[in-house]
């Protein structure tokens, strides 16, 4: 995948994710409707590919206003990934030197890799995760299960132990997927399935769409470096 | 400027420590206060008993209420970790939206109940009780 193709693919996926987020905000946070109305319109402009640099600069400004309004991220990690992709894309468009532009986009690929590896590492060093207890707690009393009947999964210790180790092993081993294009595509497919499961079980739909938007950077990075 | 950087930096240099530990989990409960100061507590946006496959798939594309409920969780945690008028006001504003359908009382109140595991038992602890405020 060429640099320009990867940038454009990221723009399209980011625009789609922002349209989805903005529509939800327009419904649920009416006190700041102007912000997300404008964000939705500019995201559509970015989606069709008209004036991408200007669109990204406006979206970057709006992301700062949103952070100030909510005094931090509204939706935790998904908002953080949104900001990261947006800033890396904007820098890849505006930095004067092609090498710096590639560095900005590479930073997104690096952070995407770290998002899996660090998440796996902090679980690996935690005894509660290694025994399945942490995942049991997630289902038993955390705020995330989308329905009460899903809390019953807290009482399936073998399933949770297997799932815990599957998540830990996949996340920690994720950087190894960078060695070949095929292994990377397979790893990204598994990762997308993982986000889809989190969206279904825990309602984290925004994570699913925004993490997909970062994938082109890693596909480009793998071909560029390895 | 410092506040701006403090808001922005976690996005540019994220920690990515998702579910490092499973911390006590907040529930927001609220009530309409009668003249004698009593009222029944009710959960804010209680989750459904079950969801159909169609509903789960639909929520992939449209899930505003759930995402706002997760923001209430963040606000509750902020209120306990580093309370600010912003967190308190955002919680109150959402509860006023809930209470708008029931104008029978003139004051509202909320409490935060944190659920955690102690050995093999789940325990609940009330960690915050708001002052009553006028029902708008």
């Amino acid at each position: 995948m060429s640099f320009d193709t990867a940038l454009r693919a990221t723009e399209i996926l980011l625009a789609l994710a922002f349209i989805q987020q903005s529509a939800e905000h327009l419904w649920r946070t009416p006190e700041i409707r102007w912000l997300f109305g404008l964000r939705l319109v500019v995201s559509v402009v970015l989606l069709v590919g008209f004036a991408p640099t200007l669109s990204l600069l406006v979206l970057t400004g709006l992301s700062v206003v949103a952070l100030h309004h909510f005094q931090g991220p509204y939706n935790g990690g998904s908002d953080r990934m949104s900001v990261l992709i947006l800033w890396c894309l904007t820098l890849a468009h505006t930095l004067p030197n092609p090498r710096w532009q590639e560095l900005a986009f590479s930073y997104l690929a690096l952070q995407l890799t770290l998002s899996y590896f660090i998440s796996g590492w902090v679980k690996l060093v935690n005894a509660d995760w290694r025994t399945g207890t942490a995942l049991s707690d997630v289902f038993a009393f955390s705020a995330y299960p989308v329905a009460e009947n899903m809390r019953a999964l807290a009482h399936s210790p073998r399933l949770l132990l297997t799932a815990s180790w599957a998540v830990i092993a996949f996340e920690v081993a994720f950087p190894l997927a960078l060695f070949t294009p095929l292994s990377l595509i397979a790893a990204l497919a598994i990762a997308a399935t993982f986000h889809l499961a989190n969206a279904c079980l825990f309602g984290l739909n925004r994570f699913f769409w925004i993490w997909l938007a970062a994938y082109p950077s890693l596909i480009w990075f793998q071909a560029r470096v390895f | 400027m410092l506040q701006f950087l403090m808001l922005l930096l976690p996005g540019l240099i994220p920690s990515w420590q998702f579910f490092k530990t499973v911390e006590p989990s907040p529930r927001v409960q609220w009530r309409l206060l009668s003249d004698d100061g009593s009222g029944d507590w009710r959960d804010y946006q209680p989750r459904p008993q079950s969801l159909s496959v169609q509903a789960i798939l639909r929520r992939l594309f449209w899930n505003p209420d759930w995402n706002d409920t997760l923001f209430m969780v963040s606000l509750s945690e902020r209120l306990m970790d580093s309370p600010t008028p912003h967190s308190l006001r955002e919680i109150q504003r959402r509860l006023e939206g809930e209470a708008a359908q029931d104008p029978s009382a003139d004051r509202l109140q909320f409490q935060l109940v944190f659920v955690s595991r102690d050995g093999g038992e789940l325990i609940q602890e009330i960690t915050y009780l708001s002052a009553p405020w006028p029902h708008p």
Side-chain angles (χ1 to χ4, degrees):
Chain A
M1 186 181 281
S2 72
F3 183 65
D4 288 343
T5 305
L7 276 188
R8 184 67 193 125
T10 308
E11 287 168 17
I12 291 169
L13 291 169
L14 182 71
L16 289 171
F18 276 10
I19 289 168
Q20 189 273 332
Q21 292 177 10
S22 301
E24 288 191 348
H25 275 293
L26 284 172
W27 178 261
R28 197 59 217 199
T29 50
E31 77 281 4
I32 196 167
R33 192 166 276 156
W34 70 268
L35 172 70
F36 291 103
L38 182 57
R39 192 183 190 223
L40 193 148
V41 170
V42 178
S43 297
V44 172
V45 173
L46 179 65
L47 179 66
V48 298
F50 179 72
T53 304
L54 180 60
S55 301
L56 288 166
L57 285 169
V58 173
L59 288 171
T60 302
L62 294 177
S63 75
V64 173
V65 178
L67 278 173
H68 178 73
H69 176 79
F70 295 116
Q71 288 294 294
Y74 174 82
N75 204 238
S78 74
D79 276 9
R80 294 205 165 112
M81 182 56 103
S82 299
V83 167
L84 180 67
I85 296 174
L86 189 53
W87 281 69
C88 289
L89 260 186
T90 305
L91 287 172
H93 270 275
T94 54
L95 286 171
N97 185 315
R99 194 169 180 80
W100 295 354
Q101 294 172 1
E102 287 197 353
L103 272 176
F105 206 47
S106 299
Y107 181 70
L108 175 57
L110 173 71
Q111 285 294 343
L112 176 62
T113 307
L114 288 176
S115 75
Y116 293 116
F117 178 74
I118 293 176
S119 294
W121 181 256
V122 297
K123 294 181 182 79
L124 183 62
V125 297
N126 181 336
D128 280 348
W129 269 99
R130 295 197 303 272
T131 58
T133 306
L135 194 51
S136 172
D137 287 348
V138 170
F139 282 103
F141 65 81
S142 83
Y144 293 103
V146 294
E148 286 296 338
N149 64 349
M150 286 184 184
R151 295 209 182 276
L153 286 170
H155 306 296
S156 305
R158 284 184 191 167
L159 175 66
L160 295 177
L161 182 63
T162 305
S164 297
W165 274 104
V167 170
I168 291 169
F170 172 74
E171 290 186 330
V172 170
F174 185 85
L176 298 176
L178 285 169
F179 283 112
T180 73
L182 194 61
S183 58
L184 178 61
I185 295 299
L188 290 178
I190 295 169
T193 307
F194 170 65
H195 292 300
L196 183 63
N198 285 336
C200 293
L201 293 170
F202 305 134
L204 303 175
N205 62 325
R206 294 187 181 194
F207 281 74
F208 176 68
W209 300 113
I210 201 64
W211 249 259
L212 290 188
Y215 287 2
S217 69
L218 196 53
I219 295 170
W220 164 79
F221 181 80
Q222 193 281 332
R224 176 76 171 79
V225 174
F226 290 90
Chain B
M1 188 62 185
L2 182 62
Q3 191 201 11
F4 167 73
L5 285 175
M6 293 293 283
L7 290 173
L8 191 59
L9 278 181
L12 301 181
I13 312 172
S15 72
W16 303 132
Q17 298 191 4
F18 297 121
F19 290 107
K20 179 182 179 183
T21 55
V22 184
E23 302 289 346
S25 178
R27 309 282 188 271
V28 180
Q29 295 179 338
W30 64 282
R31 64 179 176 176
L32 294 162
L33 283 174
S34 58
D35 290 341
D36 64 359
S38 65
D40 293 332
W41 292 106
R42 56 188 101 176
D43 289 333
Y44 174 73
Q45 299 266 324
R47 75 199 68 228
Q49 184 58 38
S50 63
L51 277 178
S52 67
V53 174
Q54 291 94 324
I56 287 173
L57 293 177
R58 191 171 60 245
R59 284 176 170 215
L60 266 179
F61 301 94
W62 185 248
N63 207 8
D65 293 343
W66 181 258
N67 281 318
D68 207 63
T69 303
L70 293 182
F71 184 52
M72 278 288 261
V73 172
S74 299
L75 290 169
S76 304
E77 290 168 346
R78 289 183 201 173
L79 199 55
M80 298 314 302
D81 295 341
S82 49
T84 63
H86 173 271
S87 303
L88 180 60
R89 187 64 205 130
E90 286 287 302
I91 291 174
Q92 287 177 329
R93 203 168 49 72
R94 282 163 173 77
L95 296 177
E96 287 164 7
E98 287 276 292
Q101 298 152 355
D102 189 348
S104 62
D106 58 2
R107 288 181 302 157
L108 294 166
Q109 188 177 31
F110 77 90
Q111 65 181 13
L112 300 180
V113 181
F114 275 72
V115 185
S116 61
R117 180 171 53 82
D118 184 13
E121 297 280 313
L122 292 186
I123 57 169
Q124 299 192 356
E125 186 181 4
I126 298 170
T127 56
Y128 184 91
L129 181 64
S130 79
W133 79 96
H135 191 332

